[in-house]
């Protein structure tokens, strides 16, 4: 049995988030993770210091970030290294407070650009004063410009200048409470989002609908009037806007004062780093899965080559090197595991004999070489199993891609022909749908990984698609919204039945959307990227 290193974050007290963080550490260049538990009613904060800006932006948009915030009141914030170091150098109090060494729950010891805050209060106080004075300096410039415009009677420009000032204040509130600016959102959305952190902000903005605010609507009208070379005359609103703006400014002052007190007192007291490496294999789920597999089939080795947590369900990707573990055997193993472990865990099982892998390395080596590594091995039947004779150098290529892509596309075209039938005769459509999905998955996986899976169940194929390209998870919503239990529906229709079709137009439309979107993905992957030319696939 190969020992698995497993990160644990006991300070979080949140298994769902722990599983996600473990995956992030494996997949991305995570430098540090900080956690500060919020004092009711405020949010707890997880600050994830990551290497690349592009990864920070992408990960911040993940659905699980919103899910953790909603369910556990934990605000997760990704900050790339350059941005974090810059904000630290400016004396940003959010970084100073939430990224203290006592809040550290993960540290990549091999990374040289870690953030280590060691300065004392007196030294930091000077930096904070400069940071705060910069806010007031720019704020006062905005105010002076507005006063000049008011004296000139330029009402449209007064409103648009006030809009910029309120946006400026919101940016500071966002950074001081949330650790990030949300400039891509509308002012309405930004105000609504801040209510969860600053309930007092509701005092300063009257709603004109459930999610819109009167003053913000006024700013929009002023901007449109300037574009149309028109004028609006609502000078009586100047004072009302000024009151709201002063309210925001007071909230910023209050937050600065809070940070001063918390940082000075050393609000975070726990000095122990809560992240640890557990050298003992303590994953009970894996132990049960290995035991179940060994009872069912003669296995030489088992590799855990991937693991993901999505919607509170953890999926383990296992590859077996075994003899006689065909698709039916794998299906039975999955049923046994589900009965033993329950619905919170899922398994994606693939299996090949050692001989089959060796003889097919010319085509699949890129896939198997990434899996068959010591770090992924969780079971071995012997210390003396032969190693594979890897091709060195190995030049991967998509042999026979034409014979996989063209049938997939032809099935889709046949599907569309039935869908657009003016008589709405959908006889046989469900079988084309199931056949397309299976053909798509196998072809997509082959292009992405140089591996052509067996004719596995539809759920297994889709999970391997997500392993091959995590971005494919964006289509999970179509599966979740499907009128029937999606994967059993597909598997039922992989076998032909002599019966009438009971499909209605709404159900057909759902199927049509899925086929269209997946075919679009495959077309981009194969044709647009140049793996096949149009004349080759035609």
């Amino acid at each position: 049995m190969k020992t698995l290193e497993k990160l644990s974050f006991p300070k979080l007290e949140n298994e769902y988030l722990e599983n996600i963080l473990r995956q992030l550490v494996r997949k991305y260049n995570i430098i540090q993770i900080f956690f500060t538990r919020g004092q009711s009613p405020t949010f707890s904060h997880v600050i994830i210091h990551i290497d690349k800006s592009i990864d920070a932006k992408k990960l911040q948009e993940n659905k699980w970030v919103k899910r953790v915030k909603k369910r556990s009141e934990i605000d997760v914030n990704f900050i790339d290294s350059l941005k974090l170091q810059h904000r630290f150098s400016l004396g940003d109090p959010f970084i100073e407070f939430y990224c203290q060494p006592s809040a550290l729950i993960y540290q990549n010891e091999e990374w040289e650009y870690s953030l280590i805050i060691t300065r004392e209060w007196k030294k930091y106080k000077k930096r904070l004063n400069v940071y705060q004075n910069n806010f007031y300096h720019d704020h006062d410039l905005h105010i002076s410009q507005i006063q000049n415009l008011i004296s000139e009677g330029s009402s449209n420009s007064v409103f648009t200048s006030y809009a910029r000032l309120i946006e400026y204040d919101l940016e500071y509130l966002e950074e001081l409470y949330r650790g990030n600016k949300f400039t891509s959102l509308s002012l309405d959305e930004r105000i609504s989002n801040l209510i969860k952190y600053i309930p007092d902000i509701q005092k300063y903005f009257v709603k004109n609908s459930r999610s819109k605010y009167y003053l913000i609507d006024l700013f929009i009208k002023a901007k449109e009037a300037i574009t149309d070379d028109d004028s609006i005359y609502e000078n009586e609103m100047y004072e009302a806007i000024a009151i709201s703006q002063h309210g925001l400014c007071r909230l910023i002052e209050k937050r600065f004062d809070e940070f001063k007190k918390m940082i000075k007192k050393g609000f975070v007291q726990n000095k122990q780093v809560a992240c640890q490496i557990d050298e003992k294999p303590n994953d009970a789920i894996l132990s049960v899965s290995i035991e179940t597999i060994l009872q069912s089939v003669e296995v030489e080795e088992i590799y855990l080559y991937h693991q993901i947590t999505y919607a509170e369900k953890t999926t383990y990707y296992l590859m077996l090197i075994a003899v006689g573990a065909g698709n039916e055997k794998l299906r039975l193993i999955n049923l046994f595991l589900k009965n033993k472990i329950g619905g919170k865990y899922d398994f994606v099982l693939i299996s090949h004999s050692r001989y089959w892998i060796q003889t097919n390395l010319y085509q699949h080596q890129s896939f198997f070489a990434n899996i068959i590594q010591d770090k992924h091995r969780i079971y071995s039947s012997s210390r003396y199993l032969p190693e594979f004779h890897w091709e060195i150098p190995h030049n991967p290529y998509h042999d026979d891609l034409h014979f996989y892509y063209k049938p997939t596309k032809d099935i889709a075209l046949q599907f569309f022909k039935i869908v657009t039938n003016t008589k709405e005769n959908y006889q046989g459509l469900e079988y084309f749908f199931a056949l397309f999905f299976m053909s798509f998955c196998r072809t997509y996986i082959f292009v992405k990984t140089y591996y052509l899976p067996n004719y596995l169940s539809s759920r297994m194929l889709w999970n391997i698609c997500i392993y091959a390209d995590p971005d494919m998870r964006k289509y999970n919503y179509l599966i979740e919204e499907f009128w029937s239990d999606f994967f059993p529906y597909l598997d039922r229709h992989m076998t032909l039945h002599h019966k009438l079709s009971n499909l209605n137009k709404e159900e057909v439309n759902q199927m049509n959307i899925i086929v269209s979107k997946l075919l679009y993905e495959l077309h981009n992957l194969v044709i647009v990227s140049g793996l096949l030319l149009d004349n080759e696939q035609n």
Side-chain angles (χ1 to χ4, degrees), residues 11 101-105 268-275:
K11 190 176 178 182
S102 54
L104 191 68
I105 63 171
V268 181
Q269 297 295 330
N270 184 8
K271 300 299 181 182
Q272 295 181 345
V273 175
C275 170

Side-chain angles (χ1 to χ4, degrees), residues 430-480:
E430 51 267 72
Y431 302 104
F432 279 104
F433 182 62
L435 181 58
F436 167 79
F437 187 86
M438 180 201 67
S439 302
F440 164 81
C441 289
R442 296 182 80 238
T443 308
Y444 196 88
I445 293 164
F446 177 60
V447 175
K448 282 287 185 178
T449 69
Y450 297 95
Y451 172 66
L452 191 70
N454 291 332
Y455 294 92
L456 302 170
S457 70
S458 56
R459 185 189 300 275
M460 296 299 122
L461 288 171
W462 182 245
N463 279 324
I464 299 175
C465 267
I466 291 175
Y467 163 74
D469 181 3
D471 191 49
M472 291 301 290
R473 195 182 291 121
K474 65 189 177 186
Y475 295 121
N476 273 353
Y477 78 97
L478 294 173
I479 292 171
E480 293 164 357

Side-chain angles (χ1 to χ4, degrees), residues 44-62:
S44 298
H45 285 270
V46 171
I47 311 297
I48 300 178
H49 179 191
I50 192 169
D51 179 28
K52 297 179 180 178
S53 172
I54 190 172
D55 289 338
K57 292 177 182 177
K58 178 178 72 173
L59 292 170
Q60 193 68 56
E61 296 301 317
N62 281 353

Side-chain angles (χ1 to χ4, degrees), residues 122-340:
K122 288 183 179 179
K123 186 175 181 180
Y124 171 67
K125 183 180 179 181
K126 296 178 182 178
R127 182 72 66 179
L128 178 59
N129 287 337
V130 172
Y131 186 91
Q132 196 168 352
N133 288 336
N134 287 337
F135 162 74
Y136 289 120
H137 177 268
D138 291 345
H139 186 274
D140 290 342
L141 287 179
H142 278 289
I143 294 292
S144 296
Q145 182 186 27
I146 290 171
Q147 294 301 326
N148 290 335
L149 291 171
I150 290 175
S151 64
E152 294 171 4
S154 305
S155 59
N156 288 9
S157 297
V158 171
F159 289 122
T160 55
S161 294
Y162 261 127
R164 286 193 291 271
L165 177 54
I166 284 180
E167 183 174 11
Y168 175 78
D169 289 341
L170 290 176
E171 286 180 1
Y172 264 86
L173 286 172
E174 286 170 340
E175 288 207 333
L176 292 172
Y177 278 93
R178 305 188 63 186
N180 205 353
K181 298 177 184 177
F182 297 86
T183 53
S184 63
L185 301 180
S186 68
L187 292 180
D188 291 306
E189 291 174 302
R190 295 167 76 176
I191 293 168
S192 296
N193 290 339
L194 279 169
I195 290 173
K196 302 166 188 174
Y197 302 83
I198 324 167
D200 281 356
I201 202 172
Q202 298 173 91
K203 298 176 182 178
Y204 307 118
F205 295 96
V206 175
K207 287 187 174 182
N208 59 3
S209 69
R210 186 173 183 180
S211 58
K212 300 289 185 181
Y213 296 91
Y214 181 83
L215 290 184
I216 307 306
D217 189 50
L218 187 61
F219 297 154
I220 293 172
K221 289 178 180 177
K223 188 175 181 180
E224 291 173 347
I226 291 175
T227 303
D228 297 334
D229 197 21
D230 200 357
S231 297
I232 59 173
Y233 300 97
E234 297 199 45
N235 300 351
E236 64 275 14
M237 294 304 299
Y238 292 168
E239 185 175 350
I241 299 171
I243 291 172
S244 295
Q245 189 280 314
H246 290 325
L248 294 184
C249 191
R250 283 195 293 269
L251 292 177
I252 294 170
E253 291 175 357
K254 180 181 176 182
R255 185 59 169 169
F256 274 129
D257 289 338
E258 287 174 353
F259 271 130
K260 285 179 181 178
K261 293 175 183 177
M262 292 188 297
I263 294 171
K264 185 176 181 179
K265 291 181 179 180
F267 184 79
V268 181
Q269 297 295 330
N270 184 8
K271 300 299 181 182
Q272 295 181 345
V273 175
C275 170
Q276 62 189 30
I277 300 293
D278 191 345
E279 295 294 343
K280 297 180 180 180
N282 60 356
D283 194 324
I285 303 302
L286 280 179
S287 298
V288 171
S289 66
I290 292 170
E291 180 183 348
T292 303
I293 291 169
L294 295 180
Q295 291 173 354
S296 305
V297 68
E298 185 178 344
V299 179
E300 291 183 3
E301 292 177 295
I302 302 175
Y303 291 87
L304 173 66
Y305 62 96
H306 192 53
Q307 179 180 331
I308 58 173
T309 299
Y310 174 72
E312 299 185 356
K313 174 177 280 190
T314 300
T315 302
Y316 297 94
Y317 288 71
L318 302 179
M319 192 190 87
L320 285 54
I321 298 181
V323 177
N327 289 347
E328 181 60 23
K329 179 68 71 175
L330 295 180
R331 187 184 70 82
L332 291 174
I333 292 172
N334 250 313
L335 287 176
F336 295 153
L337 288 172
K338 191 165 290 186
N339 290 335
K340 283 188 176 182

